[in-house]
Amino acid sequence: MSQVLRCIVIVCLLAAVAPALAARGVSPYLPLHLDPEIERQIERVLILGDKPVITRPIAAANVLDALPAACKFDAILCRNVRQYLERYIGTVGLDHASAEGASTDDVPVVALPDAHGMSTDSPWRVSALAHWQANDYVLLNLGGVAYDGGSVPTGSVLSVGFEYAQLDIGWRDHWFSPFTTSAMIMSTQAQTLPSITLSNYAPLTRFGLHYEVFLAEMEESDRIVFEDRFTSGNPRLAGLRFSIEPAPGWSLSANRMMQYGGGERGGNSFSDFLDALFKPHQNDNANDNLSNEEEFGNQVAAWTSRFIFPGPTPFAVYFEYAGEDNSYEGNFRLGNASLSVGITFPRLWRRFDLTYEASEWQNGWYTHHIYLDGLTNEGHVLGHWGADLRQQDDAVGAQTHLLRLGWEPPFGGLLELRARTIDNEDYGVAVYERGYDVGLAYSRGFKGVTFGVDLLAGRDVFGEDYSRLAGFVRFGDEWAGTGSALGDSDLERPLGAELFVEAGATASEVQIRLGDGSPKTRTDAAIAPHLGLGARRAVSRHSDLGVRLELDEVDGEYLLAVRAVDYRYRFSNPLALTAFAGAARYDLATPAYGYYIGAGMQWRDLLKGLDVNLDFKYADKVARDKLLPTDPGTDPRPDSFYDVTAATLSLSYRF
């Protein structure tokens, strides 16, 4: 903890001299998954303001900075959010208050998504937040969330510092993902942990650098393996995030989180912490030369990106490629991987908004051979809500989908439809069915408060039906300002912003390492159809950035690839060069995942709006664990690897 105390001293000294440096002070954070009506409008402001959110909770200062750009497109939305932010101005203020009563089923008990540890059997929930700001550089927030069966002082945080180094001490939420309804490595699925966090909300350098590092204490566990026995203690949880925003509307983030220490395992030195953080293959994976006692802890990591497409119907596309472990050789290949894809339309046909998010992960998530309780707190996983919908300790993979549709009806208020589903893999210790639920909520503002009802009904992964009917009242109704100043023709697509579809043919071959001691093999080259869908926008005179989804058939199986970074350089003539990076999913007996990179060239406007593309692509060490009885032996490796080399010739049409 000496390093943490040193950080506290440094930030306090910087806060003391900040006025002389003319730096902005600390910023409060907006509630996370406590006030959905205004959170929805804040999401809209950030997209219209071309601010790609890569982590949460969102600093109020970032929303304030996005308002001028958003106000050019929707003055009423801007007014609503500005009025809401006025809660946080002043020495003392009430920022949030909410109460909920519900009629519930006692059996089965299903964890609600992103609800700070609450389940369907809780008949009530209350939450509140208030602040006292001593000066620009010291802010105290007090609050909490309570329900039947649990309570935690979520939001109770002391913040000191300034825009480039804000220190937060207390129960601050962490959400390491651009997704709004799910996050693989850190979310609000479980109760908030007490932590110390150092971060910046104002970007550093022209590349828009943001950082965040935190240290938290987890609940006590008596299932920590040490030598040949169990030890009891409180593991520590450390998180690190770096993100960049080198061009408007696009951001990229690298995230890592580590569980370590606890009981007789101690705390280890700061140098060991850095080694395990940046050299996991040498320090944090059990192998012939590293015993459980020498292993530092349990690590997860993720790459995330978010891309905003401007225009009459703006939207944000975002990806998350995460790993519960590392794979093969080196420190940057992710093992037991997951891939998540999301898209948000903040405005459809003036009165609607739409969000769709899908995730899939391999085995091993949130469980560990040293920390047998895994990455959990009070019985709930720290990450994706879907992993709470399985038998405890069952390290099984799953696929989830979530659709959320919002409608502002002419008679006022907000009507929201939610649907989600989960399909656990069938190699686990339990027999699972597809789980699903549907929710319908209506909110309305009236004389300074918001009230409404929320109905949820579904079937869990064991085939049991459940339902919950809740009524709620919340402080404030700023979100309910009527109408919209945004007309169908008010937003014009900027020059260089393009949507496109592509079709063509891909020639591919696969190098296979089964990991059972047999020599690697290579398939014969084969040609199959190719499909693609993408978006891009100009970021300079000659350069474009975008995203793309591709589908190919490789050796008789589908290869789905996402280009999280899709770069194009346009010459003054019709020729353009491209380079891209992302992740690929190979549809084998169980899904296999790996990095996806490549480069190519393009001849633009063969006919008006029609381009010719030649791409060379490589899916690196696409991996899956051997989990089925039909899989080859696990000696010397428990996983198999597939290297896909391909070339694609296609036509793309821009619209």
Side-chain angles (χ1 to χ4, degrees):
M1 296 294 289
S2 61
Q3 299 293 330
V4 175
L5 292 175
R6 187 179 302 171
C7 288
I8 294 175
V9 172
I10 292 173
V11 172
C12 289
L13 290 174
L14 288 172
V17 302
L21 299 176
R24 297 166 68 183
V26 297
S27 172
Y29 296 101
L30 303 181
L32 184 56
H33 296 136
L34 295 177
D35 207 341
E37 294 83 12
I38 194 64
E39 290 181 46
R40 167 181 169 272
Q41 292 197 343
I42 288 170
E43 184 81 6
R44 181 180 295 181
V45 163
L46 292 169
I47 291 177
L48 291 177
D50 222 14
K51 297 291 185 184
V53 177
I54 207 75
T55 185
R56 301 169 196 271
I58 298 170
N62 292 146
V63 182
L64 194 63
D65 291 342
L67 281 176
C71 288
K72 297 177 182 178
F73 304 118
D74 195 332
I76 293 178
L77 170 69
C78 183
R79 181 199 64 192
N80 293 347
V81 173
R82 191 182 298 277
Q83 288 178 348
Y84 170 76
L85 293 178
E86 288 177 359
R87 297 185 190 182
Y88 298 89
I89 299 174
T91 303
V92 179
L94 177 64
D95 305 327
H96 165 80
S98 176
E100 175 182 290
S103 173
T104 68
D105 291 334
D106 293 332
V107 178
V109 177
V110 177
L112 291 170
D114 309 316
H116 295 89
M118 190 174 77
S119 299
T120 55
D121 62 336
S122 177
W124 59 273
R125 178 173 69 168
V126 295
S127 59
L129 289 168
H131 76 267
W132 172 63
Q133 186 145 12
N135 57 54
D136 289 345
Y137 307 97
V138 179
L139 173 66
L140 177 63
N141 291 275
L142 296 176
V145 178
Y147 45 83
D148 188 29
S151 62
V152 63
T154 298
S156 296
V157 178
L158 172 64
S159 300
V160 297
F162 59 108
E163 57 187 327
Y164 302 120
Q166 178 167 322
L167 185 72
D168 302 309
I169 305 172
W171 284 263
R172 177 197 188 277
D173 282 326
H174 296 88
W175 181 280
F176 277 14
S177 176
F179 284 67
T180 59
T181 65
S182 60
M184 285 304 299
I185 68 173
M186 195 65 173
S187 74
T188 59
Q189 183 65 19
Q191 291 186 359
T192 309
L193 298 172
S195 64
I196 299 173
T197 307
L198 184 65
S199 63
N200 68 313
Y201 66 83
L204 294 165
T205 77
R206 62 179 297 271
F207 296 104
L209 174 65
H210 286 82
Y211 70 91
E212 180 178 336
V213 58
F214 76 84
L215 178 63
E217 183 177 77
M218 303 183 68
E219 67 170 329
E220 184 175 1
S221 172
D222 57 7
R223 298 203 300 163
I224 304 173
V225 176
F226 181 72
E227 295 179 347
D228 57 352
R229 64 185 187 279
F230 288 121
T231 181
S232 298
N234 295 84
R236 295 175 184 174
L237 187 70
L240 179 66
R241 174 185 61 83
F242 289 104
S243 65
I244 57 172
E245 188 181 336
W250 184 77
S251 58
L252 178 68
S253 178
N255 313 279
R256 178 174 291 280
M257 197 169 71
M258 176 167 48
Q259 179 184 22
Y260 68 100
E264 294 180 73
R265 294 192 67 87
N268 300 87
S269 69
F270 188 66
S271 61
D272 289 339
F273 167 81
L274 293 178
D275 283 345
L277 196 62
F278 296 108
K279 300 179 180 179
H281 189 73
Q282 294 93 327
N283 293 276
D284 195 46
N285 291 305
N287 53 53
D288 295 337
N289 301 315
L290 195 65
S291 67
N292 282 345
E293 290 70 49
E294 295 172 312
E295 213 176 331
F296 191 78
N298 176 23
Q299 299 199 47
V300 291
W303 296 96
T304 64
S305 71
R306 188 176 178 97
F307 170 80
I308 295 175
F309 184 82
T313 305
F315 60 86
V317 179
Y318 36 96
F319 303 109
E320 180 175 33
Y321 182 59
E324 191 277 335
D325 209 334
N326 74 309
S327 178
Y328 201 69
E329 298 174 351
N331 295 319
F332 298 101
R333 291 190 179 95
L334 301 180
N336 300 119
S338 78
L339 180 62
S340 300
V341 180
I343 186 169
T344 293
F345 293 89
R347 173 184 175 270
L348 281 173
W349 307 299
R350 300 196 65 175
R351 291 187 176 273
F352 291 88
D353 62 85
L354 177 70
T355 296
Y356 170 72
E357 297 179 355
S359 300
E360 185 177 62
W361 57 90
Q362 296 176 311
N363 58 296
W365 276 90
Y366 312 114
T367 63
H368 198 254
H369 58 280
I370 293 177
Y371 298 96
L372 301 190
D373 288 328
L375 285 169
T376 65
N377 185 42
E378 300 293 339
H380 296 278
V381 300
L382 297 181
H384 199 291
W385 54 263
D388 262 349
L389 306 181
R390 64 186 187 186
Q391 184 171 309
Q392 185 179 10
D393 297 335
D394 192 4
V396 66
Q399 185 183 100
T400 67
H401 299 267
L402 186 143
L403 179 69
R404 184 177 63 198
L405 177 66
W407 177 43
E408 297 175 355
F411 52 81
L414 172 64
L415 190 67
E416 184 176 83
L417 174 67
R418 306 178 307 273
R420 62 172 183 154
T421 181
I422 178 171
D423 187 17
N424 287 319
E425 293 280 6
D426 58 6
Y427 53 75
V429 299
V431 177
Y432 298 106
E433 299 181 12
R434 177 179 288 275
Y436 61 87
D437 64 31
V438 177
L440 184 65
Y442 178 71
S443 305
R444 192 176 185 92
F446 181 73
K447 292 186 177 181
V449 298
T450 295
F451 61 91
V453 294
D454 194 339
L455 173 64
L456 179 71
R459 176 169 293 181
D460 72 4
V461 295
F462 303 107
E464 298 288 333
D465 295 332
Y466 61 91
S467 63
R468 188 174 190 268
L469 176 62
F472 58 84
V473 59
R474 299 191 182 100
F475 165 66
D477 66 344
E478 298 91 343
W479 65 273
T482 56
S484 173
L486 194 62
D488 290 333
S489 61
D490 290 340
L491 290 177
E492 295 183 359
R493 183 183 295 182
L495 185 66
E498 301 172 344
L499 300 172
F500 59 90
V501 294
E502 63 181 17
T506 295
S508 63
E509 61 179 20
V510 187
Q511 181 175 272
I512 304 172
R513 297 174 174 85
L514 293 177
D516 61 351
S518 61
K520 60 186 178 183
T521 59
R522 186 180 296 273
T523 65
D524 294 332
I527 299 176
H530 165 85
L531 296 173
L533 176 66
R536 67 170 69 96
R537 57 186 291 182
V539 295
S540 71
R541 181 181 177 183
H542 291 285
S543 295
D544 304 323
L545 276 173
V547 293
R548 194 180 309 191
L549 189 68
E550 298 179 303
L551 182 64
D552 292 291
E553 184 178 328
V554 175
D555 194 31
E557 306 292 349
Y558 287 114
L559 184 79
L560 178 68
V562 295
R563 299 188 185 185
V565 182
D566 192 10
Y567 174 75
R568 182 178 73 172
Y569 184 86
R570 292 172 278 106
F571 293 96
S572 299
N573 54 39
L575 182 65
L577 298 180
T578 61
F580 52 88
R585 178 195 187 273
Y586 199 17
D587 191 27
L588 301 175
T590 59
Y593 286 98
Y595 287 125
Y596 179 71
I597 58 174
M601 60 185 66
Q602 181 183 74
W603 191 268
R604 295 177 290 123
D605 287 319
L606 179 68
L607 298 174
K608 185 174 177 57
L610 191 67
D611 305 325
V612 181
N613 314 283
L614 177 61
D615 291 322
F616 300 94
K617 308 181 292 190
Y618 180 60
D620 175 55
K621 305 298 180 295
V622 180
R624 60 176 291 266
D625 280 1
K626 303 169 188 175
L627 302 164
L628 306 178
T630 55
D631 284 333
T634 58
D635 185 24
R637 295 194 63 96
D639 40 13
S640 300
F641 299 94
Y642 304 81
D643 293 287
V644 179
T645 305
T648 296
L649 181 64
S650 65
L651 293 174
S652 59
Y653 178 72
R654 292 176 275 114
F655 58 93

